[in-house]
Amino acid sequence: SVTSFTVTPATGYKIGGVTGCDGSLNGTTYTTGPVTRNCTVAASFSPLTYTVTPQAGPNGTIAPSAPQTVSHGATTTFTVTPNPGYSASVTGCSGTLNGTIYTTGPITGSCTVIASFSMNTYAVTASVSGGGGYVSPSSQTINHGGTATITITPDTGYSIGSITDNGTPVPGANPYIISNVTTAHTVVVTFIQNTYTVTPQAGLHGTITPNIPIQVAHGSTTSFTLTPDTGYRIDTVSGC
């Protein structure tokens, strides 16, 4: 007579083969041939495998770039490399990105890992310390390698005193231009009040005090004492 066995793989495995007793496998049922002696039915199992397919958009790469065969429940990794000035985002196969390494979750079916790349942008902010003018724009977003332009406008009677970019003093050009932006920038401008020289002069037979040039801030006033010699009076005073 013949007998039958049901062959059931564990989760994540498939039937590799069944041999013995001159039988045959139909689906999960193994039926022996006519049994005329002691014999052994041996079943073997192999892990299921799935295809993980990588895809990369423009401006970067994913490696390996060929589809990977992964056993059931195992994980696989890919190296994601953006071009300079770009950042990566990766989706698919329930994975996580750590630095440039994307590790899938446990694979239980064929899936696709998709890497996309976007150009980096940087914030450029500008402000005034202490008043005396303004800057424009106060904030802007610049693409990697782009140019930021900041217009500096002193109030009447003021001039640019200093400019710092990320804490480093830079030449006081106006407008202030940052070429080839590859990081965030914080620009701080200070203004100084203009000063002017008022020079006193006195003719014969009297004095003017003080009798040295005086530095006077824009919009301010200064004064002098005029003292005629004995027997003289102030004739005229002019200037400023």
Side-chain angles (χ1 to χ4, degrees), residues 9 15 52 54 62 66 69 80 90 94 105 117-118 130 155 176 188 193 195 197 201 213 232 238:
I15 298 171
V52 177
I62 188 169
T69 300
V80 181
V90 190
S94 303
F117 305 93
S118 58
D155 291 340
Y176 176 60
V188 179
Q193 193 172 28
T195 60
T197 301
Q201 294 179 356
Y232 286 81
S238 62

Side-chain angles (χ1 to χ4, degrees), residues 15-193:
I15 298 171
V18 186
T19 60
C21 303
D22 298 323
S24 61
L25 181 67
N26 183 9
T28 60
T29 301
Y30 186 79
T31 303
T32 68
V35 176
T36 59
R37 65 190 182 280
N38 293 335
C39 59
T40 301
V41 173
S44 62
F45 304 92
S46 59
L48 294 172
T49 60
Y50 310 101
T51 300
V52 177
T53 304
Q55 293 181 0
N59 303 305
T61 60
I62 188 169
S65 59
Q68 302 297 297
T69 300
V70 183
S71 296
H72 181 94
T75 64
T76 190
T77 61
F78 297 89
T79 300
V80 181
T81 307
N83 289 349
Y86 287 79
S87 295
S89 62
V90 190
T91 60
C93 303
S94 303
T96 56
L97 182 65
N98 185 8
T100 61
I101 304 300
Y102 187 78
T103 304
T104 67
I107 300 300
T108 57
S110 294
C111 56
T112 301
V113 171
I114 301 174
S116 58
F117 305 93
S118 58
M119 180 176 285
N120 294 337
T121 61
Y122 310 98
V124 176
T125 60
S127 62
V128 173
S129 176
Y134 62 93
V135 293
S136 179
S138 59
S139 65
Q140 52 190 305
T141 300
I142 305 298
N143 286 338
H144 181 90
T147 298
T149 300
I150 300 170
T151 300
I152 303 171
T153 307
D155 291 340
T156 301
Y158 285 80
S159 299
I160 297 172
S162 66
I163 303 173
T164 61
D165 188 342
N166 288 343
T168 300
V170 294
N174 186 19
Y176 176 60
I177 297 174
I178 309 171
S179 301
N180 191 29
V181 175
T182 58
T183 188
H185 287 258
T186 300
V187 177
V188 179
V189 178
T190 60
F191 296 97
I192 55 173
Q193 193 172 28

